[in-house]
Amino acid sequence: MPQLRVALAQVNPVFLRLKKGKIILRSGDEVNQDHLRLIGLIAAEEKTSTRRIPGLLFIWATLGLLFFFFWRLNALAKTGGINRPRLNFVSGVTLIASALLYRLALFLYPLVFQNMAFTVPVDGNVLVYAIPFAVGALIIAFLFDLQSAVVFSFLNAVVGAFACDWDFQVLLYVLAGNLAAAFGIEFYQRLKRSSILKASFFWLLPVNILATLLFSLSREDASWLATAFAVLMGILAALLAAFVANFMIPLWEVIFKLVTDLKLVEITNLNLPCFREMLEKAPGTYHHSQMVASLAEAAAQELELSPLLVRAMALYHDIGKVDNPQFFTENQ
C-alpha cells in the first residue's frame, strides 16, 4: 500500500483542453481506445464538476446575505439621510457599476502596460492596486451618510476580492480604502464638491500608500523598484477614484433624482433671482421667510433633523405670494 501511494504521487496529472464545438465522434465512426479514454475523462470531469457549488452562485448568496443586513440596518437605524427611500436601489446600482469598472480596469491595464515604450520588470498582479476601488464609497458617502458608506464598503470589499480571484490582500486593501474615503467625506462634510477631492487626497491617498507599502515589503522577493511601482499604483487609484466620483455623482443626482446637502445649499442661496424678486416685490414676505427659516433651522438641530432641508422648505413656503404681494398684510 505505501508503494502504491508513492507511485501515485510520482504521476503527474493530465489536463485536456478541448475547443468549443469540437466533434469527438460522428455517427458511423470506428471507436478506438483513444476515443474511449477521452470520453471517460470527460465523463469523470462532468461527474466531479456537478458536485461543486458554482462560484457565481456562492457570490450571489454572499452578496444577498450582506444586502439583507444592509436593508435591515436601513430599516432599523433609519440611515440614508434625505434620500433614504432610494438608498438600497442606488447602492445596488452603484455596486454593479463598480464591479463593471473593476473588470474593465483588469482588462485595460495589462494592455496599456504591455504597449508602453518602457518595460517595468515587476509582477503584473501589482496592477490591481491601481483600480479605483473607492469610487462607490465616495459616491454613497456623499449622496447619503457615513453609516450607509461603511456598510457599502464591506459589500464592495467582497466584490473587489472576487474580481481579483479572491485575493485576501485585495480585500483588505479595498476595505481600508473605502472606509478612509467614507470617513473623509464625513469629516469634510457634503457642502462642497471639493470635499471629494480632499477626502481622496488627505484620507484615501495615505491609506493606499501605506497599504501598498506594507503588502510589497511583506513579499519574500520584495525589491525597491517593485515597492515603488506598487505605491505608484496606489496613488494612481486614489487620483482615479476622485476623478470618476466627481463625474458620477452629478449623473447619479439627475438619474435617481437625489437631493444632496450641496443641492440644498445651492437652492437656499439668497442671491438667486427668485429671492431677489421677493425682496423687491414682497419685502415683508422676504423678511418673514428668513425669520421662519432661522427658527426652523434651530428647531431641526435640536430634533436631530436635517437643518438644511428644513431651512430650504421654510425659505420657499411663501414663494407664491410674489404674484400678488399687496394682498397679504405683511407687504401693505
Side-chain angles (χ1 to χ4, degrees):
M1 204 64 174
Q3 296 178 352
L4 179 60
R5 292 179 181 177
V6 173
L8 289 174
Q10 294 176 350
V11 175
N12 295 325
V14 177
F15 297 95
L16 296 176
R17 185 182 300 272
L18 299 177
K19 294 183 179 180
K20 184 178 179 180
K22 178 179 175 59
I23 299 175
I24 300 175
L25 279 173
R26 292 184 176 89
S27 177
D29 288 349
E30 183 180 353
V31 181
N32 54 33
Q33 291 296 327
D34 292 336
H35 290 148
L36 292 175
R37 176 174 172 273
L38 185 58
I39 293 173
L41 291 173
I42 294 174
E45 174 64 22
E46 289 290 332
K47 186 181 296 185
T48 56
S49 62
T50 55
R51 297 175 184 174
R52 294 178 295 184
I53 299 177
L56 188 60
L57 179 61
F58 176 73
I59 294 300
W60 282 112
T62 304
L63 291 179
L65 182 63
L66 292 175
F67 250 109
F68 171 77
F69 289 115
F70 186 37
W71 170 71
R72 292 303 301 163
L73 177 65
N74 177 23
L76 296 176
K78 296 181 179 180
T79 59
I82 303 171
N83 303 303
R84 180 169 168 258
R86 298 179 178 88
L87 172 60
N88 293 328
F89 180 70
V90 175
S91 298
V93 174
T94 305
L95 195 65
I96 294 173
S98 299
L100 295 176
L101 178 64
Y102 305 156
R103 297 304 301 176
L104 180 63
L106 288 172
F107 173 73
L108 291 179
Y109 283 172
L111 295 178
V112 172
F113 279 88
Q114 286 175 4
N115 291 281
M116 293 179 67
F118 60 93
T119 57
V120 182
V122 294
D123 188 4
N125 294 329
V126 181
L127 294 176
V128 300
Y129 297 139
I131 300 175
F133 290 111
V135 171
L138 288 171
I139 294 174
I140 299 300
F142 191 86
L143 295 179
F144 298 99
D145 55 14
L146 176 62
Q147 293 85 347
S148 305
V150 169
V151 177
F152 180 87
S153 299
F154 285 91
L155 292 169
N156 196 31
V158 174
V159 173
F162 168 68
C164 299
D165 298 328
W166 291 114
D167 192 332
F168 183 69
Q169 287 188 349
V170 173
L171 188 144
L172 295 179
Y173 177 70
V174 176
L175 183 59
N178 279 228
L179 292 176
F183 279 92
I185 292 291
E186 186 70 16
F187 180 80
Y188 293 110
Q189 299 181 342
R190 304 166 183 84
L191 304 181
K192 294 181 179 179
R193 298 202 185 275
S194 60
S195 61
I196 301 172
L197 298 176
K198 292 179 181 178
S200 300
F201 292 156
F202 301 119
W203 288 70
L204 175 61
L205 184 60
V207 169
N208 281 5
I209 292 175
L210 180 62
T212 52
L213 187 63
L214 291 176
F215 291 155
S216 299
L217 294 178
S218 64
R219 296 171 63 93
E220 296 180 356
D221 55 345
S223 64
W224 286 110
L225 181 60
T227 302
F229 185 74
V231 172
L232 183 62
M233 294 298 99
I235 295 173
L236 178 61
L239 298 178
L240 286 177
F243 175 77
V244 177
N246 263 312
F247 169 76
M248 292 182 66
I249 286 176
L251 190 64
W252 258 224
E253 290 177 357
V254 174
I255 293 175
F256 302 109
K257 297 180 180 180
L258 301 173
V259 180
T260 60
D261 290 346
L262 177 60
K263 186 66 175 179
L264 293 174
V265 171
E266 292 174 352
I267 65 176
T268 55
N269 183 5
L270 296 179
N271 290 321
L272 291 175
C274 60
F275 292 122
R276 289 181 174 273
E277 183 181 2
M278 182 187 290
L279 179 60
E280 295 174 1
K281 295 182 178 180
T285 302
Y286 177 82
H287 292 293
H288 161 72
S289 298
Q290 287 204 51
M291 291 179 60
V292 173
S294 299
L295 293 173
E297 187 175 7
Q301 291 176 350
E302 292 294 328
L303 297 173
E304 296 183 354
L305 301 175
S306 172
L308 288 172
L309 179 61
V310 175
R311 175 178 173 79
M313 292 189 290
L315 286 175
Y316 283 91
H317 83 281
D318 273 345
I319 196 71
K321 292 182 178 180
V322 177
D323 289 340
N324 193 3
Q326 298 303 319
F327 186 76
F328 303 96
T329 56
E330 68 264 22
N331 298 314
Q332 293 174 0

